[in-house]
Amino acid sequence: MGRLTRVLCLSLMVVVSIVSGSAAAAMSKRPPMVLGERISLDLKGVDIIDVLKLLSQKGGINFVAGRNVSGRVTIFAKDVEVWEAFERIVSANDLAYEVNGDMVNVIAARDYELSYGRKFQEPTETKVIPLKYAKVLQVATVLNQIKSTVGKVVADEASNTLIVSDLPDRIKDIEGMLKELDRETQTKVFEVDYSDVEKLQDKVLEMLTPIGVFSHDVRTNKILITDLPEVVSRVSEMLVAFDTPDPQVSIDARILSVQLSNDLSLGIDWQNVLSGIDAQSRTSFRVLSDIIGDTATQKGAALSLITSPVSDTTLVIEALRTKGDTRTLSNPRIMVSNNEEAKILVGTKQAVVSVTTTVPSTGTVVTSPEIQYVDVGTKLFVTPTVKTDGNVMLKVRPEVSTAVIETFADNRIPIVTTTEAETNVLIQTGKTLIIGGLISESKSKTRTMFPGLGEIPIIGWPFRGVSDTFAKTELVVFLTPDVIEPNGDVRTMADFDREQMSTEEEIHRNPVPASYGELIRDVLQEHIYTEFYETGLGMGAVDLSFVIGSNGKLLSVDDISSPDGDSYVQAARIALAEAQPFPSFPQDALAKEVRFRIAVDYEPQENP
């Protein structure tokens, strides 16, 4: 008994008790040369290498010990099988082994786990799983990505059956995944009307499960999907959302050339141009950079104004004609798809002639001319992008170029001088964008000569002369984009608003029809003209801000101001009071009360 106590106290020793041979034999497959010899052992603190040597001699087993195999063994066993004793020693000393034919490789347990991805003698399971709906090769591809390092997946395509061998926990995961994958699938053919099936391929494949099948036919522009029913439904919703016609944009372009005088050497003075337009029309204009008194303040602006009706555009053109020689270079109307570039050229194609000389083996010189063309003149590139709220992003690149022909070594080469600008502008559909600031200079020579005398050499030089003429012009471009429906109708901002805005937002933006606002202006303007005339006031202007109820009655006056003095303010206040009640709101008006802001310019006439 005392001897046994001393053995248990040794810190580096492990005591192994062997109670039966059948339990140990079940731990692993025995090598073929093990015949079941039995042995009795009484060892204390013996090196593991010596123990393996002893077992090899007694049982006829071939052992190979790895470099990390170390430790000491204490074992007391009586009449047990050699192989059973070996497995107990391996288990107690944190070792592992591999059977390769007649050889048994003994290694450290941590080396075994690093090599095989699992602990030594960790149990594995093998399952034979027939598939009902999914294709075995597709499922095997998925399972090979989730199996452990010791797992194996075999696909039998003939019987559509999987043979899976892996750790028990991993087998459960695989069975759970197969329940989701091996379900009845659905096949559906989708007709794509507007999109390109090849461009939709990546979007569809992202939605499919690993067992999903995608195919398409370019000729008929159709897509075939095979997958789980819920996946096919999601793909259908996606295709409905993406397979929509591209918006078409009709661009009405007008390109003008304005001769600049010395007063306009820095470019068109838009403030001066708009000063000739009445106050009502001026309120239709907005400047992209600055607004002071509803007029543009920037000279030579590359991007100047945004206006609405065609009549207002005509007003601007007529105002330009009063400031200088204005010519219309082009007035095209082109249709372009969304996000596609439209190109307008007003000019010529200059020929570039180059001559290539070759000397073949025959010694005869061969020259071959080559002609290429370069666009010269006024070019306009416009790319529209339609937004969901009715705005159109215009990528605009106007370009003005001139060419001087040079000849070099029998080659005709145009030297092209170009002025261009490029920008992106957000504008509402139906509105007009005016672009200026593209200024070019030209120089010309004028020869004068007195007939007869001017032709006499030397003596005739006082009777002839040459003068240089300089000209400066500015290019002005008007662009009006209109979004076109598939049926050919023009899509207005009201159409976009009905889709985008809630009822509250629509009331805020469009409380009453535009025609009613014009009626209020006409009625008030008539009363103001009459009051100013009877009061004897001279030319002046006044701004009014007031609120009208749905019955046409004046509810409040927010502000009345005039840069010409209080007498104009007082007269306008009297005119406003006399003008009410105004006509009642139309039936289609959305608001119960509306605030109006009206500016009126007054110029005395004989009969108001």
Side-chain angles (χ1 to χ4, degrees):
M1 190 67 182
R3 180 182 177 185
L4 179 60
T5 302
R6 289 194 300 273
V7 172
L8 292 175
C9 292
L10 295 175
S11 60
L12 296 179
M13 298 182 182
V14 179
V15 178
V16 181
S17 296
I18 300 179
V19 294
S20 69
S22 59
M27 296 178 66
S28 178
K29 182 180 179 181
R30 300 186 180 192
M33 71 285 191
V34 177
L35 301 177
E37 289 84 351
R38 307 183 73 83
I39 189 173
S40 295
L41 297 171
D42 187 356
L43 304 174
K44 181 180 67 175
V46 180
D47 187 271
I48 183 66
I49 301 300
D50 294 333
V51 174
L52 292 176
K53 181 179 179 180
L54 175 62
L55 296 178
S56 176
Q57 292 174 349
K58 294 294 185 180
I61 306 174
N62 302 318
F63 291 112
V64 177
R67 60 182 180 179
N68 292 326
V69 175
S70 61
R72 294 184 173 275
V73 177
T74 295
I75 181 172
F76 305 100
K78 184 177 181 181
D79 194 25
V80 296
E81 289 188 3
V82 173
W83 184 256
E84 183 179 353
F86 165 70
E87 287 192 325
R88 290 298 180 180
I89 292 170
V90 166
S91 177
N93 285 270
D94 198 20
L95 299 174
Y97 65 85
E98 299 174 288
V99 178
N100 295 321
D102 292 338
M103 302 296 296
V104 179
N105 299 325
V106 182
I107 60 177
R110 62 179 179 275
D111 294 338
Y112 184 93
E113 187 174 357
L114 290 174
S115 300
Y116 296 99
R118 67 180 181 93
K119 295 181 180 180
F120 175 64
Q121 291 183 339
E122 189 171 20
T124 60
E125 294 183 11
T126 300
K127 291 270 187 174
V128 178
I129 307 173
L131 302 180
K132 294 182 180 180
Y133 305 105
K135 293 183 179 180
V136 66
L137 293 180
Q138 291 177 301
V139 174
T141 302
V142 179
L143 298 185
N144 277 318
Q145 298 177 6
I146 66 170
K147 69 178 181 63
S148 68
T149 54
V150 297
K152 293 183 180 180
V153 178
V154 179
D156 182 20
E157 190 174 5
S159 62
N160 206 42
T161 301
L162 283 171
I163 303 173
V164 183
S165 177
D166 212 326
L167 303 177
D169 292 342
R170 197 59 61 90
I171 289 290
K172 291 181 180 180
D173 296 338
I174 290 173
E175 289 178 332
M177 177 169 287
L178 288 177
K179 289 181 181 179
E180 294 295 326
L181 296 178
D182 189 29
R183 291 192 286 133
E184 187 173 3
T185 59
Q186 179 183 358
T187 299
K188 188 173 181 179
V189 177
F190 298 93
E191 294 186 1
V192 182
D193 295 324
Y194 304 103
S195 302
D196 188 343
V197 292
E198 293 182 334
K199 293 181 179 179
L200 291 173
Q201 179 175 351
D202 292 339
K203 294 182 177 64
V204 174
L205 290 177
E206 291 176 357
M207 303 179 67
L208 299 184
T209 65
I211 64 171
V213 178
F214 170 89
S215 61
H216 67 278
D217 181 64
V218 177
R219 184 183 65 85
T220 59
N221 213 43
K222 293 183 179 180
I223 293 176
L224 185 143
I225 302 294
T226 299
D227 211 322
L228 302 177
E230 60 269 25
V231 176
V232 174
S233 178
R234 290 197 297 269
V235 171
S236 178
E237 294 175 358
M238 186 273 290
L239 291 177
V240 169
F242 280 89
D243 187 30
T244 56
D246 285 336
Q248 302 291 309
V249 182
S250 175
I251 301 178
D252 189 356
R254 185 173 296 185
I255 305 175
L256 305 179
S257 174
V258 180
Q259 188 86 24
L260 298 180
S261 62
N262 293 332
D263 295 338
L264 301 178
S265 59
L266 297 179
I268 297 173
D269 187 346
W270 289 103
Q271 184 176 11
N272 188 16
V273 170
L274 294 184
S275 63
I277 301 176
D278 62 272
Q280 179 178 350
S281 298
R282 284 205 305 271
T283 58
S284 299
F285 296 92
R286 293 293 182 270
V287 184
L288 295 183
S289 56
D290 298 317
I291 293 181
I292 297 180
D294 288 331
T295 60
T297 61
Q298 192 172 358
K299 283 189 176 183
L303 298 170
S304 299
L305 309 166
I306 294 179
T307 180
S308 176
V310 176
S311 58
D312 288 341
T313 304
T314 305
L315 288 175
V316 176
I317 295 175
E318 293 301 324
L320 282 173
R321 295 187 189 277
T322 64
K323 306 302 178 182
D325 183 15
T326 302
R327 295 184 299 111
T328 300
L329 300 181
S330 179
N331 186 20
R333 187 178 183 89
I334 56 177
M335 187 81 72
V336 61
S337 295
N338 191 36
N339 294 318
E340 297 293 333
E341 185 181 70
K343 178 182 177 181
I344 301 170
L345 171 64
V346 181
T348 60
K349 290 183 177 292
Q350 292 288 344
V352 179
V353 182
S354 58
V355 178
T356 303
T357 303
T358 58
V359 181
S361 58
T362 58
T364 304
V365 177
V366 178
T367 59
S368 55
E370 182 180 355
I371 301 177
Q372 297 178 341
Y373 294 93
V374 178
D375 293 335
V376 177
T378 301
K379 289 181 283 187
L380 181 64
F381 303 89
V382 183
T383 304
T385 301
V386 180
K387 306 297 182 180
T388 56
D389 59 357
N391 289 318
V392 180
M393 177 68 74
L394 291 180
K395 181 180 180 182
V396 186
R397 182 164 64 90
E399 178 182 313
V400 180
S401 58
T402 57
V404 177
I405 306 301
E406 300 286 348
T407 303
F408 176 76
D410 296 330
N411 294 326
R412 188 175 181 272
I413 304 174
I415 306 301
V416 180
T417 303
T418 302
T419 301
E420 65 178 62
E422 182 174 345
T423 188
N424 293 323
V425 182
L426 191 65
I427 183 174
Q428 287 185 352
T429 176
K431 297 294 182 75
T432 300
L433 171 69
I434 305 177
I435 303 175
L438 293 173
I439 301 173
S440 61
E441 296 182 358
S442 61
K443 178 182 177 181
S444 61
K445 291 182 178 294
T446 303
R447 297 181 180 274
T448 59
M449 183 177 61
F450 191 85
L453 295 177
E455 298 177 357
I456 302 175
I458 302 176
I459 300 176
W461 71 265
F463 302 97
R464 58 178 180 266
V466 178
S467 61
D468 294 332
T469 303
F470 295 90
K472 181 180 291 188
T473 59
E474 180 172 350
L475 195 71
V476 182
V477 180
F478 294 75
L479 294 176
T480 305
D482 285 308
V483 180
I484 307 299
E485 299 279 7
N487 61 1
D489 294 339
V490 177
R491 195 173 190 186
T492 63
M493 283 300 300
D495 298 327
F496 285 99
D497 291 342
R498 279 192 291 269
E499 298 176 1
Q500 295 292 321
M501 294 189 305
S502 64
T503 302
E504 182 178 352
E505 292 172 331
E506 190 171 358
I507 292 175
H508 177 72
R509 290 194 179 185
N510 304 298
V512 292
S515 58
Y516 181 79
E518 294 175 359
L519 176 62
I520 297 298
R521 169 184 287 278
D522 293 341
V523 171
L524 179 59
Q525 184 171 274
E526 181 179 354
H527 281 78
I528 288 178
Y529 279 6
T530 301
E531 184 66 25
F532 281 12
Y533 177 79
E534 293 178 352
T535 309
L537 297 176
M539 185 173 60
V542 64
D543 288 337
L544 302 93
S545 177
F546 53 92
V547 178
I548 299 178
S550 59
N551 57 0
K553 290 185 178 181
L554 183 66
L555 300 181
S556 65
V557 179
D558 296 336
D559 181 60
I560 300 178
S561 61
S562 173
D564 300 303
D566 293 339
S567 57
Y568 289 85
V569 174
Q570 185 62 28
R573 190 180 301 276
I574 295 173
L576 178 59
E578 292 178 350
Q580 65 103 23
F582 295 94
S584 300
F585 287 2
Q587 292 184 353
D588 56 349
L590 301 176
K592 295 182 179 180
E593 58 182 49
V594 176
R595 176 176 285 103
F596 292 87
R597 183 181 181 276
I598 297 177
V600 178
D601 288 345
Y602 171 70
E603 184 175 352
Q605 299 178 2
E606 294 183 1
N607 295 316

